């Protein structure tokens, strides 16, 4: 008999709501949840490939314990008892000898992150980090410096925007289903799209205006836009007067940054910059300058992201229809969010974090997430103290932290590496023990609090029985916890118990999710009153162009623009990104997706390729200060001459994932691990490379 199961996709972190058709304990069909406004049945290609993941015999089928040297692909299958006992005993020894803080857990933020945070707090470790800094930490810090909210607490109304400006936010390939549909609705409604990228992406092909910007010069463009907007009084004066602190300082600061100056830095003609400033001035406040998502290009990234949000503020588009809005939580309508295990009492923690976030060394990144890319350095230098064990939970430090060789050296110093993964990822293959998690279609998860104009809650519900000997992550952590004396922090035996515990006091019950997959706290959209009711959480209660967050920590609000150097003659700036068919590093071995895109290529400008004697499809050697590798060239006019581009996520080294093993080249092998020391993100486009025929 056919059954409908509403759940939440997890082929990537966006977590779109889905409906599965299940028959005889098998998933026959997956589509977007038709009851959810803005989704209406849609799914991206990776979401559809969830069926192939379910059936994939190359994912991890049972706990595994390594028998050869690290990375040697010598393993034995283990029972859960054996594997959990092994991990428990090792961890206990490490905690007794070196303290709980010698244990780090890194994960991609997910629905049960509160469980992993609980695990670490219970052993007295501050060392939980998420992927956030590596993804978009500088955007997070920029938003906090201006509004007092993180980027995750904000969203945008693309469907009603009249002008949409995307800075390398390649929405039509680096997909989130709802925003993609919202963008398409905006274009259908007459909205105008400006797309800025050193490379012609699919999104560029849909734009009304495309600028092939010189890499890493967006800040110059934005200062010139501000210059024109202020000089020609194109900004929303009543909004700025009411809500902005530091407008005059900005006005004085951008005075020298003319469009003619920016043309020389960016390559974008001055009259076109003036044209955009006038267009947005006309259409304000229904204007979205997108603050980006994977936004870490350079070491001054926090100022680039701030400049984008300052442009929105000048437009009066923060908390506006067709602009940005703050996500409203259940508290706005007298409701309660789901409980989290982290609300329990824990022993006090007396040491700093491994990444020093929250100390004068690294004051501003979000301590809820930490800064993961510092991990190799912290391990190698034993600074601030020796680290001994790593639990990698849905995060791969080898491929997702720049400079793979440095990371590998650091991992070699650890006494214990445990992966909680579904695939034979590079980190799983380099671990001592792999604890396989059941995939999203096989497990119920913690409820998802979905704040927005209408606060809602969604549930990931198990659709089918696990195919292999796998368990949900929160059960795995509880079972390790029981072996190291912290079992009391995990008051559940099954995921259903955990969900019931979390829903206590919300007025909702697990059954309420069955009909449509979600529950709503209200039917009405909540906008705050733009005249008097916007609840900015900065110390001034306003938008802080002059930022107390930055200045109190000793950083300038408007540092003078530093010209961006072009790569020396024989070099290129290495630029990376995603495609619509793959998620970061985790889907390259998926049978369906691998069939369509199985390796990456190196985009190189046609004129420069000709100078180097490189032809399309030829194998080339790419070399940086950190490493070297070979990849096929894709010779094209569609990329700026200073840049070469490759997709992130290829060049896997895990032999047990045979479809992706050794296919293409990994960007992390070439990239230097340097950070924006204010915002927190790694500067992924900082590295120069040489290219020659292989
Ligand atoms: N060099 C370089 N580094 C980057 C980037 C880049 O472009 N270049 N991009 C950055 C960005 S934007 C991000 S968001 C991060 C992402 O970094 P990661 O989180 O490391 O990448 P993912 O591909 O999302 O998945 C990580 C792991 O999760 C596993 N996994 C998938 N589903 C599940 C599950 O249900 N349970 C468990 N336990 N494991 C699962 C996958 O097999 C994979 O091993 O990388 C960042 N790092
Ligand atoms: N299919 C798919 N969709 C995804 C993901 C995925 O893995 N796969 N991951 C999700 C996640 S976690 C994230 S963070 C987002 C990422 O979303 P995006 O940030 O849109 O994604 P990227 O693919 O990293 O695109 C970066 C773009 O920036 C351009 N670029 C490089 N340098 C510059 C510059 O100096 N200025 C400008 N203006 N542009 C520049 C690059 O050429 C590239 O096209 O995507 C999300 N959606
Ligand atoms: S964007 Fe695609 S892969 Fe990511 S959650 Fe949504 S449907 Fe799934
Ligand atoms: Mo990301």
């Amino acid at each position: 008999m056919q059954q409908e199961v509403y759940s939440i996709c997890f082929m990537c972190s966006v977590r779109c709501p889905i409906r599965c058709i299940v028959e005889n304990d098998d998933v026959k069909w997956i589509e977007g949840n038709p009851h959810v406004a803005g989704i209406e049945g849609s799914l991206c290609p990776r979401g559809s490939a969830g069926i192939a993941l379910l059936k994939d015999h190359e994912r991890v089928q049972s706990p595994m314990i390594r028998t050869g040297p690290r990375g040697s692909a010598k393993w034995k299958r283990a029972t859960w008892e054996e594997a959990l006992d092994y991990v428990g005993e090792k961890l206990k020894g490490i905690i007794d000898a070196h303290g709980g803080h010698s244990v780090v857990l890194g994960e991609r933020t997910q629905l049960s992150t509160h469980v992993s945070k609980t695990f670490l707090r219970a052993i007295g470790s501050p060392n939980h980090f998420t992927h956030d800094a590596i993804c978009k930490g500088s955007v997070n810090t920029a938003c906090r410096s201006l509004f007092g909210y993180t980027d995750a607490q904000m969203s945008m109304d693309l469907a009603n925007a009249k002008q949409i400006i995307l800075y390398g936010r390649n929405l039509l390939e680096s997909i989130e289903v709802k925003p993609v549909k919202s963008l398409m609705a905006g274009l259908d409604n007459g909205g105008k799209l400006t797309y800025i990228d050193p490379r012609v992406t699919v999104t560029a092909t849909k734009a009304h205006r495309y600028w092939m910007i010189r890499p890493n010069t967006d800040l110059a463009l934005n200062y010139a836009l501000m210059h024109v907007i202020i000089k020609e009084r194109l900004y929303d004066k009543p909004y700025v007067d009411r809500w902005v602190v530091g407008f005059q300082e900005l006005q004085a600061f951008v005075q020298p940054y003319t469009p003619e100056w920016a043309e020389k830095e960016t390559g974008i003609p001055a009259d076109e910059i003036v044209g955009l400033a006038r267009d947005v001035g006309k259409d304000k406040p229904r204007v979205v300058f997108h603050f980006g998502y994977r936004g870490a290009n350079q070491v001054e990234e926090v100022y680039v992201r701030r400049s984008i949000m300052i442009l929105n503020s000048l437009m009066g588009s923060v908390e506006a229809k067709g602009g940005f809005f703050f996500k409203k939580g259940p508290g706005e309508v007298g409701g309660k969010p789901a409980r989290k295990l982290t609300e329990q009492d824990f022993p006090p923690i007396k040491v700093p974090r491994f990444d020093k976030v929250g100390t004068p060394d690294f004051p501003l990144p979000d301590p809820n997430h930490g800064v993961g890319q510092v991990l190799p350095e912290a391990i190698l230098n034993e600074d601030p103290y020796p680290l001994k064990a790593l639990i990698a939970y849905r995060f791969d430090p080898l491929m997702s932290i720049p400079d793979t060789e440095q990371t590998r050296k650091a991992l070699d110093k650890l006494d214990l590496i445990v992966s909680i993964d579904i695939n034979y990822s590079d980190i799983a293959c380099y671990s001592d023990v792999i604890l396989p998690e059941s995939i999203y279609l096989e497990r119920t998860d913690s409820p998802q609090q979905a704040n927005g104009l209408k606060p809602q809650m969604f549930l990931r519900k198990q659709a089918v029985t696990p195919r292999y000997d796998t368990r949900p992550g929160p059960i795995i952590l509880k079972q390790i916890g029981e072996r190291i004396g912290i079992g009391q922090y995990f008051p559940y035996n099954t995921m259903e118990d955990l969900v019931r515990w979390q829903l206590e006091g919300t007025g909702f019950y697990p059954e309420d999710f069955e009909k449509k997959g979600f529950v709503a706290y209200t039917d009405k959209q909540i906008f705050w009153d733009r005249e008097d009711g916007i609840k900015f959480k900065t110390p001034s209660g306003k938008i802080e162009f002059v930022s107390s967050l930055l200045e109190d920590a000793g950083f300038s609000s408007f540092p003078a623009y530093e010209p961006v150097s072009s790569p020396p003659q024989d070099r290129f700036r290495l630029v990376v990104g995603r495609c619509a068919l793959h998620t970061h590093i985790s889907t390259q071995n998926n049978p369906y997706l691998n069939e369509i895109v199985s390796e990456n290529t190196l985009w190189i400008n046609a004129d420069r390729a000709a100078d180097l004697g490189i032809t399309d499809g030829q194998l080339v050697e790419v070399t940086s200060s950190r490493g070297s590798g070979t990849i096929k060239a894709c010779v094209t006019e569609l990329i700026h001459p200073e840049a070469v581009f490759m997709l992130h996520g290829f060049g896997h080294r895990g032999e047990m994932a045979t479809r992706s093993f050794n296919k293409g080249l990994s960007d992390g092998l070439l990239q230097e691990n340097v950070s924006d020391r204010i915002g927190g993100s790694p500067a992924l486009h900082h590295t120069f490379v040489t290219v020659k025929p292989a």
Side-chain angles (χ1 to χ4, degrees), residues 284-295:
K284 67 177 179 294
R286 288 167 69 165
V287 173
V288 171
F289 288 90
H290 197 304
F291 54 53
Y293 188 9
R294 208 285 287 135

Side-chain angles (χ1 to χ4, degrees), residues 8-18 30-32 39 42-50 174-180 440 460 580 582-583 587 593:
I8 303 175
C9 182
F10 207 35
M11 291 300 285
C12 86
S13 279
V14 171
R15 294 179 280 239
C16 298
I18 52 173
I30 309 175
E31 63 187 1
I39 290 283
S42 300
L43 202 62
C44 88
R46 298 163 297 148
S48 300
S174 297
I175 298 174
E176 304 164 83
V177 172
K178 247 188 186 184
V180 168
Y440 67 105
R460 171 174 294 136
H582 284 292
T583 297
T587 55
L593 299 173

Side-chain angles (χ1 to χ4, degrees), residues 203-357:
T203 313
T205 66
K206 307 284 182 216
H208 298 90
R209 188 192 263 126
Y210 165 67
W211 288 335
M212 186 180 277
I213 193 168
R214 190 163 80 85
N216 284 10
T217 62
D218 300 73
L219 188 57
L221 166 65
N222 286 349
Y223 283 163
L225 284 168
M226 289 175 201
H227 174 101
V228 180
I229 287 168
I230 294 177
K231 190 168 133 200
E232 299 192 6
R233 296 184 176 274
L234 299 167
Y235 60 96
D236 183 337
K237 186 157 189 318
Y239 184 93
V240 168
D241 287 348
R242 172 66 185 87
W243 291 117
V244 168
V245 177
F247 175 75
Q248 264 148 18
E249 287 85 343
L250 178 74
Q251 184 170 24
F253 172 75
V254 295
Q255 214 265 331
Y257 298 117
T258 61
E260 292 71 27
W261 164 83
E263 175 173 339
K264 291 198 196 89
E265 183 69 3
T266 62
I268 302 167
D271 59 336
E272 292 201 30
I273 299 176
V274 174
L276 176 61
R278 291 183 183 156
D279 283 353
V280 294
K282 185 165 51 64
D283 285 330
K284 67 177 179 294
R286 288 167 69 165
V287 173
V288 171
F289 288 90
H290 197 304
F291 54 53
Y293 188 9
R294 208 285 287 135
N297 296 324
Q298 55 187 304
V299 286
E300 299 84 18
E301 194 69 35
V302 72
Y303 292 110
V304 182
R305 301 300 146 181
R306 263 174 65 81
S307 71
I308 297 174
M309 294 314 296
I310 289 174
L311 283 165
N312 288 301
S313 308
L314 291 172
M315 294 293 110
S317 70
V318 180
E319 198 64 15
K321 187 173 177 179
F324 280 80
F325 57 85
F326 292 103
K327 295 182 185 172
K328 314 300 184 306
E332 287 282 325
V333 287
K336 275 210 171 131
R339 298 171 70 187
K340 289 183 173 174
L341 289 180
T342 40
E343 73 185 31
Q344 303 174 90
D345 288 327
F346 297 98
I349 291 173
K350 300 191 190 88
V351 291
R353 297 176 51 90
F354 76 94
D355 50 24
K356 302 191 193 168
V357 166

Side-chain angles (χ1 to χ4, degrees), residues 296-488:
N297 296 324
Q298 55 187 304
V299 286
E300 299 84 18
E301 194 69 35
V302 72
Y303 292 110
V304 182
R305 301 300 146 181
R306 263 174 65 81
S307 71
I308 297 174
M309 294 314 296
I310 289 174
L311 283 165
N312 288 301
S313 308
L314 291 172
M315 294 293 110
S317 70
V318 180
E319 198 64 15
K321 187 173 177 179
F324 280 80
F325 57 85
F326 292 103
K327 295 182 185 172
K328 314 300 184 306
E332 287 282 325
V333 287
K336 275 210 171 131
R339 298 171 70 187
K340 289 183 173 174
L341 289 180
T342 40
E343 73 185 31
Q344 303 174 90
D345 288 327
F346 297 98
I349 291 173
K350 300 191 190 88
V351 291
R353 297 176 51 90
F354 76 94
D355 50 24
K356 302 191 193 168
V357 166
T359 74
D361 269 3
F362 218 171
L364 297 190
D366 189 341
N368 284 321
H369 296 286
V371 173
Q373 77 273 15
V374 172
L375 182 67
E377 206 183 293
I379 298 173
L380 289 169
N381 299 339
E382 305 195 351
D383 178 19
Y385 41 72
L387 296 169
K388 297 291 174 187
L390 169 69
I391 303 175
Y393 185 178
R394 197 173 173 263
F395 176 74
D396 183 349
L398 281 170
M399 288 193 82
S400 305
I401 292 179
D403 196 349
T404 309
E405 270 323 297
Q406 185 195 35
T407 307
R408 196 184 307 280
K409 275 193 201 121
L411 295 182
D412 286 344
K413 269 190 82 168
L414 296 176
D415 294 345
L416 179 68
I417 307 174
V418 179
S419 280
I420 302 177
D421 207 322
I422 57 173
N423 291 311
Y424 283 107
S425 59
D426 283 23
I427 185 63
C429 293
Y430 211 70
S431 299
D432 306 330
V433 183
I434 312 174
L435 303 175
E437 184 165 27
S438 309
I439 71 161
Y440 67 105
L441 296 168
E442 303 167 325
R443 69 178 195 254
T444 294
D445 222 320
S446 292
Q448 178 191 24
Q449 203 69 49
N451 295 344
L453 286 174
K454 296 181 195 169
Q456 298 169 325
M457 202 177 348
F458 288 76
L459 190 65
R460 171 174 294 136
K461 190 160 182 276
Q462 182 178 349
V464 293
T465 314
R467 289 296 177 261
Y468 306 118
D469 191 11
T470 59
R471 295 182 180 177
I475 302 293
I476 299 174
L477 286 176
K478 171 191 165 73
Q479 292 174 339
I480 302 173
E482 284 165 347
R483 287 161 169 82
I484 60 172
I486 55 165
Q488 72 274 23

Side-chain angles (χ1 to χ4, degrees), residues 375-690:
L375 182 67
E377 206 183 293
I379 298 173
L380 289 169
N381 299 339
E382 305 195 351
D383 178 19
Y385 41 72
L387 296 169
K388 297 291 174 187
L390 169 69
I391 303 175
Y393 185 178
R394 197 173 173 263
F395 176 74
D396 183 349
L398 281 170
M399 288 193 82
S400 305
I401 292 179
D403 196 349
T404 309
E405 270 323 297
Q406 185 195 35
T407 307
R408 196 184 307 280
K409 275 193 201 121
L411 295 182
D412 286 344
K413 269 190 82 168
L414 296 176
D415 294 345
L416 179 68
I417 307 174
V418 179
S419 280
I420 302 177
D421 207 322
I422 57 173
N423 291 311
Y424 283 107
S425 59
D426 283 23
I427 185 63
C429 293
Y430 211 70
S431 299
D432 306 330
V433 183
I434 312 174
L435 303 175
E437 184 165 27
S438 309
I439 71 161
Y440 67 105
L441 296 168
E442 303 167 325
R443 69 178 195 254
T444 294
D445 222 320
S446 292
Q448 178 191 24
Q449 203 69 49
N451 295 344
L453 286 174
K454 296 181 195 169
Q456 298 169 325
M457 202 177 348
F458 288 76
L459 190 65
R460 171 174 294 136
K461 190 160 182 276
Q462 182 178 349
V464 293
T465 314
R467 289 296 177 261
Y468 306 118
D469 191 11
T470 59
R471 295 182 180 177
I475 302 293
I476 299 174
L477 286 176
K478 171 191 165 73
Q479 292 174 339
I480 302 173
E482 284 165 347
R483 287 161 169 82
I484 60 172
I486 55 165
Q488 72 274 23
Y489 290 97
F490 306 91
Y492 53 88
N493 288 314
T494 62
M495 289 309 294
E496 289 67 29
D497 292 346
L498 177 57
V499 171
R500 232 171 283 119
W501 182 90
Q502 286 195 260
L503 291 179
E504 273 172 20
T506 62
F508 297 118
Y509 298 90
E511 309 76 75
D512 298 339
F513 294 83
E514 264 163 34
K515 220 159 128 210
K516 292 184 176 173
F518 68 98
V519 293
Y521 288 87
T522 172
D523 292 339
K524 286 198 279 302
Q525 292 197 337
I526 312 166
F527 272 105
W528 289 327
D529 175 10
R530 277 165 57 83
E531 309 255 302
D532 226 25
I534 312 183
K535 301 170 194 168
F536 293 111
K537 278 211 287 199
T538 48
S540 60
K542 295 189 176 185
I543 302 176
E544 297 194 348
F545 285 6
V546 173
S547 159
S548 42
L549 188 80
L550 289 173
E551 309 243 337
D552 291 352
F555 302 114
S556 165
S557 296
F558 313 118
Y561 184 83
E562 291 278 342
V564 173
S565 49
S566 293
Q569 224 200 339
D570 62 333
R571 302 201 176 192
F572 298 84
R573 190 179 290 281
L574 177 63
V575 164
V576 304
R578 280 132 266 280
C579 69
L581 271 309
H582 284 292
T583 297
H584 301 291
I585 59 132
S586 52
T587 55
Q588 286 72 19
N589 203 51
N590 179 293
Y592 288 1
L593 299 173
N594 180 277
E595 197 179 311
I596 310 174
V597 179
S598 59
E599 64 183 294
N600 57 354
T601 59
L602 187 80
W603 290 39
I604 181 167
N605 176 275
D607 289 340
R608 295 214 50 197
D611 288 347
L612 292 166
I614 292 168
T615 52
D616 192 43
Q618 184 180 359
L619 204 60
V620 291
E621 187 178 76
V622 190
T623 306
S624 74
S625 67
R626 309 314 306 154
S628 183
T630 53
I631 182 172
K632 280 183 202 144
C634 164
V635 175
T636 170
E637 269 127 41
L638 305 183
I639 185 164
H640 193 282
E642 283 188 13
V644 285
F645 170 88
M646 64 166 79
L647 289 174
H648 168 58
F650 290 83
H652 284 258
R653 294 278 176 88
E655 292 173 23
M656 284 141 100
T658 62
R659 304 174 204 106
S660 60
F661 176 62
N662 240 346
K663 297 271 172 62
L665 180 59
S666 168
D667 57 349
L669 203 68
L670 301 166
Q671 287 161 325
E672 297 161 22
N673 185 348
V674 288
S675 296
D676 167 359
R677 294 294 303 180
I678 305 175
S681 288
L684 292 177
H685 299 163
H686 178 83
T687 307
F688 291 151
V689 294
T690 54

